[in-house]
Structures are given as structure tokens and as C-alpha cells.
């Protein structure tokens, strides 16, 4: 009896401990953010736990998906196609899109997903997400403030980072910096397999302890943060609950701002 109780208690603690160690990340993935020239690219859009390639949550039809190029917005909602994304644990509803990059410059892809209902917390999460793809090294829009309800405005080109460089950003809500914003940082640790709509089984790196799976950092009083990228690949930054909307369908809403950046090794 006592043994059973202990076992249950241990399981309970393990379950409780397992909750905060991985963070949700809305992801817009494409293999290469710095291209030599234009042409068609493929984007995979899924809502997951990137470090562990863990539980992938069902996405519903996004509220908005567009690209900003040379200051002009192009609506891409019609290009979204439903897919199923497979994590190491499960499969979830996701989307893909293909887009033809034209000329030289920056393309800032922006997604406002539908709020996701998190049953465990009886609340909603909406992660407004950006990723920048550049062609030919010609800078145009990477540092633009898009005017999203909440966003991370980059201070460094998100596609021109060596491994070891710092990435800096400003967390904004309704155009104003968010002092001391809390930001989760996670590494896309399992390669997304474009033709299989699934994560690769093998991880790139191992975390010594849970605080390394999702790193939590803080912005300064001006809403600015700095992070040195220790490994080649894609890194997600998520400012938590920084958006102006705090309620959806009568329940609490966390409106978060996400940006993905790509680091490259010097070779
Ligand atoms: Cu989650």
C-alpha cells in the first residue's frame, strides 16, 4: 500500500514537473532563410514543442497569414493547405504553403493563428509568429515593425547570423516596448523532414537538465533582449503574454510574440 502510494506520488510529481519544461512554439519552418536567388520555397506551419519534437497541437484555420516585401503586404491565406505534422509523440493538424520569392530582398512571413485552447489550463494561447527569408543578401524589410498586436522587432538580421553571434530584439505590444518581458528560447532540435511532414527521430543536441530545454530570459527595461546562438540551426524566441488581448471566448488568452532565426556555422 505504502509502496503504491509512493509510486503514485512520484508519478504525480513527475507529471507536474513535465509541464513547464517544454514550451509551446508556433513554428513557420523553411530549410533556408538566406537564398542566393528567388524561386519557390516551401513553408511548414505547425504548433509544437521544438526541442523535444514533442506533442504537436492541432491548428485551426489561422486568422491571418501574409508576407511583407518592400513595405507591401501580400495576403497568403489562400496558399495554406492542411497537412498532418508528426512529432515523436503524436500527430497534429498543421499547414503548408509554397511561395515564389521574386527579385532581391527580405520577405517577412507573418502568421496570426487561431487561439488554441489549452485544456490543462482552461485558457487560450495565440502565438503571432514571424520568419524572415532573404534573397541575394539585399536588405529591405527585416527590421520593419509590421504592426502586429505583439511582435519581436529584430535588431540583427535573423537570416545573417553565424553560430556564436548574438541575436537581439525588441518586444513590442501595440507598438510600444514591453519592459522586462519574459522570453522563452528553444532550439529546433529535430530536423523537420519536408517530404514526410515529420520530425527526424534523432536529436541534434542533448540538454543536461530541463532549464536548458526551454531557456527563459528577460528583456531589459526597454523591452530589448540579447541571446548568443550556441548551435547551428533554427532558434525560436517567444515573448509570453505580451499582446493586448487577454481574453477569448470568456477565458484567459495569452497572446505571445514569436520569431524564428537561423544560425550558420563558419566553415
Ligand atoms: Cu504545450
Amino acid at each position: 500500500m505504502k509502496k503504491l502510494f509512493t509510486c503514485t506520488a512520484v508519478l504525480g510529481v513527475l507529471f507536474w514537473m513535465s509541464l513547464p519544461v517544454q514550451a509551446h512554439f508556433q513554428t513557420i519552418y523553411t530549410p533556408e532563410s538566406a537564398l542566393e536567388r528567388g524561386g519557390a520555397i516551401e513553408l511548414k506551419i505547425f504548433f509544437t514543442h521544438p526541442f523535444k519534437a514533442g506533442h504537436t497541437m492541432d491548428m485551426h484555420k489561422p486568422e491571418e497569414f501574409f508576407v511583407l516585401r518592400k513595405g507591401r503586404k501580400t495576403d497568403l491565406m489562400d496558399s495554406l493547405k492542411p497537412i498532418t505534422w508528426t512529432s515523436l509523440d503524436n500527430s497534429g493538424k498543421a499547414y503548408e504553403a509554397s511561395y515564389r520569392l521574386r527579385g532581391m530582398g527580405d520577405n517577412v512571413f507573418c502568421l496570426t493563428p487561431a487561439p488554441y485552447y489549452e485544456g490543462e489550463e482552461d485558457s487560450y494561447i495565440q502565438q503571432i509568429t514571424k520568419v524572415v527569408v532573404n534573397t541575394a543578401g539585399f536588405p529591405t524589410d527585416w527590421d520593419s515593425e509590421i504592426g502586429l498586436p505583439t511582435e519581436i522587432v529584430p535588431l540583427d538580421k535573423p537570416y545573417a547570423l553565424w553560430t556564436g553571434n548574438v541575436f537581439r530584439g525588441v518586444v513590442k505590444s501595440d507598438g510600444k516596448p514591453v519592459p522586462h518581458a519574459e522570453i522563452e528560447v528553444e532550439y529546433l532540435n529535430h530536423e523537420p523532414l519536408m517530404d514526410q511532414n515529420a520530425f527526424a527521430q534523432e536529436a541534434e543536441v542533448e540538454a543536461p537538465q530541463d532549464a536548458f530545454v526551454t531557456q527563459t530570459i528577460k528583456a531589459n527595461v526597454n523591452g530589448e533582449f540579447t541571446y548568443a546562438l550556441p548551435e547551428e540551426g533554427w532558434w525560436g524566441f517567444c515573448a509570453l503574454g505580451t499582446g493586448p488581448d487577454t481574453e477569448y471566448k470568456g477565458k484567459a488568452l495569452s497572446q505571445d510574440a514569436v520569431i524564428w532565426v537561423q544560425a550558420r556555422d563558419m566553415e
Side-chain angles (χ1 to χ4, degrees), residues 27-48:
T27 306
I28 306 174
Y29 177 79
T30 190
E32 186 55 61
S33 61
L35 296 155
E36 286 296 342
R37 59 188 70 80
I41 60 163
E42 302 298 319
L43 303 160
K44 304 287 182 179
I45 298 167
F46 43 84
F47 187 34
T48 194

Side-chain angles (χ1 to χ4, degrees), residues 73-184:
K73 264 188 187 184
T74 303
D75 179 68
L76 299 177
M77 283 295 284
D78 286 345
S79 71
L80 290 174
K81 292 197 191 81
I83 57 167
T84 299
W85 189 263
T86 302
S87 74
L88 300 195
D89 301 348
N90 77 328
S91 294
K93 288 181 190 155
Y95 288 88
E96 65 182 5
S98 71
Y99 181 71
R100 183 161 288 279
L101 302 170
R102 287 166 213 285
M104 303 187 299
D106 296 322
N107 303 268
V108 187
F109 293 92
C110 302
L111 177 82
T112 304
Y116 171 81
Y117 179 69
E118 175 61 87
E120 267 158 26
E121 287 162 29
D122 191 29
S123 63
Y124 285 89
I125 305 163
Q126 183 178 42
Q127 297 197 325
I128 301 168
T129 301
K130 303 203 289 200
V131 67
V132 187
V133 178
N134 174 270
T135 49
F138 184 67
T140 55
D141 303 89
W142 67 272
D143 55 350
S144 297
E145 192 170 332
I146 313 294
L148 299 165
T150 183
E151 65 183 285
I152 293 172
V153 179
L155 296 175
D156 302 287
K157 287 176 188 160
Y159 52 82
L161 297 162
W162 294 114
T163 306
N165 275 168
V166 297
F167 174 69
R168 296 167 305 150
V170 186
V171 181
K172 296 224 171 170
S173 178
D174 265 347
K176 292 186 201 70
V178 182
H180 311 301
E182 188 176 340
I183 299 140
E184 291 183 331

